[in-house]
Amino acid sequence: MVGSIAAIGMGLAVIGAGMGIGKIGDSAMQAIARQPEAVGDIRSNMILMAALIEGAALIAIVMAFLVAGV
Amino acid sequence: MKKHILLSLFALLLSFSMNAQSHPKDKHDHDHSEHADHDHGDHSHDNHKHDGKAHDDHAHGDHGCHFHHHPEGQEYTPKDVANTAFHHISDANVYSIGPWQIPLPCILYAPETGWDVFLSSKFKFKSTGHGDGYSAYKGYILDAGTVKRITDPSFPRDVDEVPLQGIIHKTEMVDGKEKTVAYACTGEAMYRTDPKSIADAGIFGGGISSFYDFSITKNVTSMIIVFFGMLWLFLRVAKSYVTRNGMAPKGLQSFIESIFVFIQDEVAKPFLGHKYLKYQPFLMAIFFFVLGLNLWGQIPFFGGANVTGNIGVTMVLAIFAFLVVNLSGNKHYWEHIIAMPGVPKWVLTILTPVEFLGIFIKPLTLMLRLFANITAGHMVIIVFVSLIFMFSKGGTSMAGGLGTAVGSTLLTIFMMAIELLVAFIQAFVFTILTASYLGAAVEEPHHH
């Protein structure tokens, strides 16, 4: 039971991270379209931001693992 | 809950001198008490081939050792897939190239018997099997490539080598948790074994057991190979800067230079400003080591080493990042953590603990990100391959097997292409985040 709830928690964390990274991708694409010469800067900042969001999601997933008591 | 987290943090720090490797079998093989674990359906090795032959070698014991073979058409369940996947991402005391198993040195320490150093070929495993030892050596056995120790005091310890009929897995309750325990079977009796100590406070199925493994395992071997590969590569490139002084870079030199300059321009200079030369060697070392290990793990049929997908390895990398960041942090950095200037006093009661936790959360996420990304990539590929065995229903459904085989192969190739991208991105992300933390730590105060 606890395991199933933890799985739902993991799913929610993934939804959150997916929305966040999707938003970054969206705005990065727009930014590149508007200013193609800044593509290098935009790309590395995009990856950095995505990695930070991913970090929050990863902590949530690890917490879910701990709660599930694998 | 809180206790668990604290315990795990403490244990994670402890384990950095050890090979922190999870023993997924211990937690996933819940109801395998009826059949010998290594008979679970596929057990494809790193070559991802169905390795059925090795199973037939188990003799049927007469005295309490009953090896139940999977009958033809045995369902290959999602749980078997999970077992196979976890088996393949974990570390081993053998190195597998294609279908062959290559023995590695074992350096084992048990408080009772002291140090034992020998080659894992002493376990007499089949060179093309999946790493089950047919001989116990000095009280140790090899179970699916991993060393375990016989804890039963009645086990004959006067002789070094005891031939084994096989290894049986049973589910037992240990400290209120279901665990799979391996039993060594000599034909006359069964002896309980212990998995190696894993300093994770028992959260990931480990804990302190009766022995410690300091072996040159598959992961350690991979790290040594990548280390020497990098050394050779960079010494060669460095030499060509001397011999081709003043000329345009050529061959390997121009390949490495483009990556090097990319990291310098995109990571080191923007985050560290004029101090970049001081920290550049560290950033480059991290980037190329992580990249090398990521790519080494991508080579199919060649060990399938999952080094950067081992939380122990990524933890040591993160600890280095943590130490470098915090030891080079200036007054300005610590001031912003302990008492952020320009913030009302009552806000500080919240902000300071958060900032303080942030010091540790940053390396923690560095560790988890690399570990999770690489592990997930390896697992996805194994799961795609395992699907073939699931849909062929243990070899009875030709159409299911063939159909999935085509789809799985294409998907696997696609995933491997993605993983190649991820190998670069994760190495880059690790470096860029380390650089950004470092940049925040060494930043000079702005006077407004």
Side-chain angles (χ1 to χ4, degrees):
Chain A
M1 186 62 192
V2 179
S4 322
I5 294 169
I8 293 170
M10 273 174 157
L12 288 174
V14 171
I15 290 175
M19 277 162 68
I21 293 173
K23 232 170 138 43
I24 292 169
D26 167 45
S27 29
M29 287 297 129
Q30 282 187 15
I32 292 169
R34 277 161 207 247
Q35 225 172 343
E37 68 274 12
V39 62
D41 280 351
I42 293 168
R43 193 192 295 120
S44 46
N45 279 309
M46 176 183 81
I47 293 173
L48 181 66
M49 288 299 130
L52 288 173
I53 289 185
E54 202 184 43
L58 281 174
I59 287 179
I61 286 171
V62 168
M63 286 296 165
F65 259 122
L66 291 181
V67 173
V70 196
Chain B
M1 175 66 207
K2 207 171 176 185
K3 199 184 94 195
H4 271 259
I5 296 163
L6 283 175
L7 256 177
S8 69
L9 278 175
F10 179 61
L12 283 171
L13 281 171
L14 260 178
S15 70
F16 85 97
S17 63
M18 259 183 251
N19 288 318
Q21 28 193 281
S22 58
H23 279 268
K25 280 174 170 251
D26 300 339
K27 52 187 201 277
H28 290 277
D29 271 16
H30 289 321
D31 54 18
H32 268 232
S33 50
E34 296 211 355
H35 29 84
D37 176 83
H38 33 254
D39 281 356
H40 56 64
D42 150 42
H43 230 299
S44 58
H45 243 268
D46 295 286
N47 52 352
H48 298 148
K49 274 180 199 156
H50 188 77
D51 194 4
K53 270 187 190 163
H55 305 151
D56 304 329
D57 302 318
H58 298 298
H60 283 266
D62 298 320
H63 310 278
C65 306
H66 293 289
F67 294 94
H68 292 260
H69 290 257
H70 275 251
E72 188 75 8
Q74 174 82 31
E75 288 283 326
Y76 186 63
T77 61
K79 219 174 110 182
D80 294 324
V81 177
N83 286 335
T84 313
F86 275 105
H87 167 68
H88 281 272
I89 59 165
S90 56
D91 204 355
N93 294 76
V94 290
Y95 201 100
S96 17
I97 295 175
W100 297 284
Q101 308 283 347
I102 293 162
L104 294 172
C106 290
I107 304 162
L108 306 163
Y109 175 75
E112 285 172 45
T113 48
W115 291 91
D116 281 308
V117 180
F118 54 90
L119 212 60
S120 64
S121 58
K122 295 272 187 202
F123 293 118
K124 301 232 163 69
F125 54 83
K126 295 265 184 302
S127 59
T128 55
H130 44 69
D132 279 328
Y134 287 95
S135 182
Y137 191 74
K138 290 192 172 172
Y140 295 100
I141 61 160
L142 192 71
D143 176 19
T146 309
V147 171
K148 288 182 179 169
R149 184 171 179 273
I150 296 168
T151 47
D152 204 321
S154 63
F155 185 76
R157 289 195 193 267
D158 43 336
V159 276
D160 277 351
E161 261 185 80
V162 180
L164 292 182
Q165 279 195 344
I167 297 151
I168 287 184
H169 295 78
K170 291 184 178 182
T171 306
E172 287 178 6
M173 293 295 278
V174 181
D175 300 330
K177 272 188 177 180
E178 271 191 3
K179 278 194 174 177
T180 304
V181 181
Y183 281 85
C185 199
T186 56
E188 283 124 37
M190 291 206 302
Y191 300 98
R192 199 174 192 277
T193 65
D194 246 6
K196 65 184 75 166
S197 299
I198 305 160
D200 69 344
I203 288 165
F204 294 104
I208 302 298
S209 69
S210 65
F211 81 107
Y212 302 88
D213 185 3
F214 298 94
S215 305
I216 314 285
T217 54
K218 187 170 86 175
N219 284 352
V220 179
T221 315
S222 308
M223 275 195 276
I224 292 170
I225 292 169
V226 169
F227 168 74
F228 281 107
M230 286 287 156
L231 202 65
W232 172 80
L233 192 71
F234 278 91
L235 286 180
R236 217 183 105 154
V237 169
K239 213 175 107 189
S240 56
Y241 277 101
V242 179
T243 53
R244 296 178 51 80
N245 189 17
M247 286 186 275
K250 196 182 153 197
L252 201 60
Q253 190 191 358
S254 56
F255 172 68
I256 294 295
E257 186 179 296
S258 62
I259 302 176
F260 193 94
V261 169
F262 174 75
I263 298 298
Q264 189 176 50
D265 287 348
E266 296 290 323
V267 178
K269 279 182 188 171
F271 286 102
L272 297 167
H274 64 278
K275 289 178 186 162
Y276 79 93
L277 268 181
K278 188 178 169 193
Y279 298 105
Q280 186 168 280
F282 173 65
L283 294 177
M284 291 297 170
I286 282 208
F287 178 77
F288 283 101
F289 191 58
V290 171
L291 180 65
L293 288 174
N294 283 352
L295 291 177
W296 183 257
Q298 293 299 313
I299 306 173
F301 311 122
F302 203 79
N306 187 28
V307 189
T308 36
N310 185 315
I311 201 152
V313 175
T314 58
M315 184 176 60
V316 174
L317 290 173
I319 286 173
F320 275 117
F322 171 80
L323 290 178
V324 171
V325 167
N326 286 292
L327 293 181
S328 44
N330 55 18
K331 188 172 151 259
H332 183 63
Y333 167 74
W334 290 110
E335 190 184 56
H336 274 73
I337 287 168
I338 295 158
M340 184 87 76
V343 170
K345 275 271 181 324
W346 65 271
V347 177
L348 280 183
T349 56
I350 308 164
L351 199 58
T352 304
V354 169
E355 285 284 339
F356 184 72
L357 277 179
I359 302 175
F360 300 99
I361 289 173
K362 282 169 185 171
L364 195 73
T365 53
L366 274 184
M367 166 183 105
L368 289 173
R369 181 179 299 108
L370 185 59
F371 159 73
N373 273 287
I374 304 302
T375 304
H378 279 243
M379 278 182 85
V380 166
I381 290 170
I382 298 163
V383 168
F384 275 142
V385 174
S386 301
L387 283 181
I388 303 171
F389 299 98
M390 252 179 88
F391 281 94
S392 68
K393 299 200 169 92
T396 50
S397 165
M398 188 62 166
L402 219 56
T404 338
V406 174
S408 281
T409 311
L410 290 174
L411 279 172
T412 306
I413 292 167
F414 170 72
M415 271 319 293
M416 292 199 86
I418 297 269
E419 281 308 302
L420 220 51
L421 199 66
V422 168
F424 277 95
I425 289 179
Q426 288 309 317
F428 178 67
V429 161
F430 200 103
T431 320
I432 202 171
L433 284 173
T434 310
S436 82
Y437 301 151
L438 207 47
V442 299
E443 199 182 20
E444 295 298 332
H446 301 287
H447 295 288
H448 300 289

